Amino acid sequence: MTWRFALVIEPAASDDPRSDFADTFRVIDPSAPALTVGELSTQRGDGVFESIGVVNAHPQEVTAHLDRLAHSAELCDLPIPHARQWRQAVVAAAQHCPPDGEGVIKLILSRGVEHGPAPTAWVTAAQAADNTATRERGIRVVTLDRGYGIETPANAPWLLLGAKTLSYAVNMAAIREARRQGADDAIFVSSDGFVLEAPTASLILRLGDRFVTPAPNGGILHGTTQLSLFEHLASQGHETAYETIPVDALARADAAWLVSSVRLAAPVVAIDGREVPLDREVTASFNRYLLSPRD
Amino acid sequence: MTWRFALVIEPAASDDPRSDFADTFRVIDPSAPALTVGELSTQRGDGVFESIGVVNAHPQEVTAHLDRLAHSAELCDLPIPHARQWRQAVVAAAQHCPPDGEGVIKLILSRGVEHGPAPTAWVTAAQAADNTATRERGIRVVTLDRGYGIETPANAPWLLLGAKTLSYAVNMAAIREARRQGADDAIFVSSDGFVLEAPTASLILRLGDRFVTPAPNGGILHGTTQLSLFEHLASQGHETAYETIPVDALARADAAWLVSSVRLAAPVVAIDGREVPLDREVTASFNRYLLSPRD
């Protein structure tokens, strides 16, 4: 990944009536120092973020990402980001993504500098890694206990399980653990035996003719890519469903994918060492759709 | 809290034989930009930290903090910090703490800049907040579910529950939740009903003549202040114990404290609205000890 652009945002109040926020933006060199050591994002992972896929300089599903950023901010008692302001920043960042190829725009809203007056916020644009081989050949995954019962997140909102926070160390540790076990990625499962999500992706299973994903609850991030793909599948007449999925259903999957904004649809070819059929045709159609311009 | 000093460290290999690491330090202005937006500490809370209390420019329990930093680094697959190098940085930072009064030195070891060659590391020094009133009048706390069963952390090391990581958003959210409930702080309890720790402190209960703290397991950070206080209590002939403490034992506590490196011993005067006796004499003796120079 190569950084191409970074923009610091002075966050506007959510009722700011302006239509142009250009004077709240400050373009910076992404490789130059920009944040102080007092930043709470860096001291405590205290903030929220989004990663938006960009295809041929078109940012995908911006509204869905901005909605989720606002939802995460609300769960974390952060000021709600101003949608028009952030959208304008995304548009500015997209102009610096590869005109032919894939990029990623990252939005970060931090609680700000410790004891400071306001949150800090910035947007970056980068060239995406080449995920072509992963999309074609697939990934091997292992299941890892997320530690929580399926009902816990709804009853303990302070665990922030439905928010996409900057406190991502566990997600990264789970991927390292998966690699230690000889796999590429992980699927988190609840301590009482239900399938949740991957550390940085949503899970979609095909069970017979149905496409199924774990029912969103407080503990699962509602995936923008999964949502988009389910709408697409439904429009093509396929049956889709949100279900509470016991772990043993993984052994019955006729196909499985981890889907996310930048890697897109990565077919799962093994779960805990058991092979899963790779449906090349459906996978290719998923990624063709996900690489088409989507709003 | 007022920032007084910051030092960026170029981390040495753990077998570096040097005795002087001055040329690996770079003093920076703590209020000036120092970190890039690519920092993984800021993007993902991906790193570990320590907060060291400083009294009259003397940093307390440096060895215990450096040991725990190394333990956290190991759990997070980060390079083990070089103890002599970090100790020298702590000594340099301590010179910038108030000569008469309390300070705090923070050590941060981040995974570094994304796709960068090495971790980044820095040390800050600041004047501590005045905690005198809290130490005398005490705090009201509520219990909050940490979501995990007591046995979970030992079986799921990727949850990093024994590491002091920068992914601290849940700890901060728990304190906000406590305040929403009209309290000052929280005590985390396991989903199966055992007492754990506070979001940023260890819990000590007095049950009759015994001083008891939750048994350290993978899910409890071994508190440097609690350890020091238990050694002190034992040297005075008091009985101390590490135990698996059911939540209902909180109602039987004859006294309780949250202890941590900077706030020191904060007596708990209420748990979930039930009053807890405040032992002024013992509390004052705890804080006299904790404010004395300790190595």
Side-chain angles (χ1 to χ4, degrees), chain B residues 202-266:
Chain B
S202 310
L203 173 69
I204 295 177
L205 302 177
R206 200 181 65 205
L207 299 169
D209 289 336
R210 303 161 59 243
F211 293 91
V212 180
T213 196
N217 59 25
I220 295 176
L221 217 62
H222 211 160
T224 54
T225 309
Q226 171 268 314
L227 265 172
S228 178
L229 208 44
F230 265 33
E231 283 173 17
H232 173 67
L233 285 165
S235 76
Q236 293 197 320
H238 292 288
E239 188 183 345
T240 62
Y242 294 90
E243 292 181 3
T244 301
I245 302 172
V247 173
D248 59 14
L250 293 173
R252 299 195 305 271
D254 297 297
W257 298 267
L258 296 189
V259 304
S260 51
S261 296
V262 178
R263 193 171 61 181
L264 304 182

Side-chain angles (χ1 to χ4, degrees), chain B residues 18-201:
Chain B
R18 279 181 284 183
S19 58
D20 181 5
F21 290 90
D23 63 358
T24 65
F25 299 160
R26 185 165 50 86
V27 175
I28 60 166
D29 175 353
S31 62
L35 310 170
T36 72
V37 292
E39 249 299 319
L40 291 170
S41 57
T42 205
Q43 290 196 75
R44 298 181 192 151
D46 199 357
V48 296
F49 78 102
E50 285 293 321
S51 293
I52 300 179
V54 183
V55 179
N56 302 341
H58 178 84
Q60 305 278 50
E61 304 277 355
V62 177
T63 301
H65 284 288
L66 292 179
D67 286 352
R68 192 169 63 181
L69 186 72
H71 181 63
S72 295
E74 189 179 0
L75 290 174
C76 292
D77 303 308
L78 286 162
I80 303 304
H82 191 299
R84 270 200 316 283
Q85 183 186 32
W86 284 81
R87 185 180 296 272
Q88 187 176 342
V90 170
V91 168
Q95 292 166 6
H96 297 267
C97 286
D100 298 296
E102 295 174 54
V104 53
I105 292 175
K106 196 155 178 180
L107 319 181
I108 292 194
L109 173 61
S110 151
R111 200 171 301 278
V113 174
E114 194 168 7
H115 307 293
T120 48
W122 61 95
V123 169
T124 59
Q127 186 165 343
D130 184 352
N131 288 297
T132 314
T134 302
R135 291 173 194 155
E136 287 172 0
R137 289 179 215 148
I139 53 176
R140 305 178 69 82
V141 307
V142 290
T143 54
L144 293 179
D145 182 6
R146 186 65 188 83
Y148 301 106
I150 190 87
E151 302 291 351
T152 297
N155 301 324
W158 50 88
L159 300 177
L160 305 178
L161 288 162
K164 198 167 172 79
T165 80
L166 299 174
S167 285
Y168 232 51
V170 168
N171 306 58
M172 296 297 111
I175 292 173
R176 290 196 302 275
E177 173 67 20
R179 291 188 177 149
R180 255 192 292 272
Q181 295 188 22
D184 305 298
D185 209 331
I187 295 174
F188 280 133
V189 299
S190 72
S191 59
D192 44 2
F194 297 97
V195 179
L196 298 173
E197 62 189 345
T200 65

Side-chain angles (χ1 to χ4, degrees), chain A residues 179-230:
Chain A
R179 291 189 178 147
R180 255 193 291 274
Q181 295 189 21
D184 305 298
D185 209 331
I187 295 173
F188 280 134
V189 299
S190 72
S191 59
D192 43 2
F194 297 97
V195 179
L196 299 173
E197 62 191 344
T200 66
S202 311
L203 173 69
I204 296 176
L205 302 178
R206 201 182 65 204
L207 300 169
D209 288 336
R210 303 162 58 243
F211 293 91
V212 181
T213 196
N217 60 25
I220 294 177
L221 218 62
H222 212 157
T224 53
T225 309
Q226 172 268 312
L227 265 172
S228 178
L229 208 44
F230 265 32

Side-chain angles (χ1 to χ4, degrees), chain A residues 262-283:
Chain A
V262 177
R263 193 172 60 182
L264 305 181
V268 174
V269 296
I271 301 176
D272 292 333
R274 190 188 51 75
E275 304 296 313
V276 179
L278 167 51
D279 188 327
R280 289 183 196 280
E281 199 176 322
V282 171
T283 301

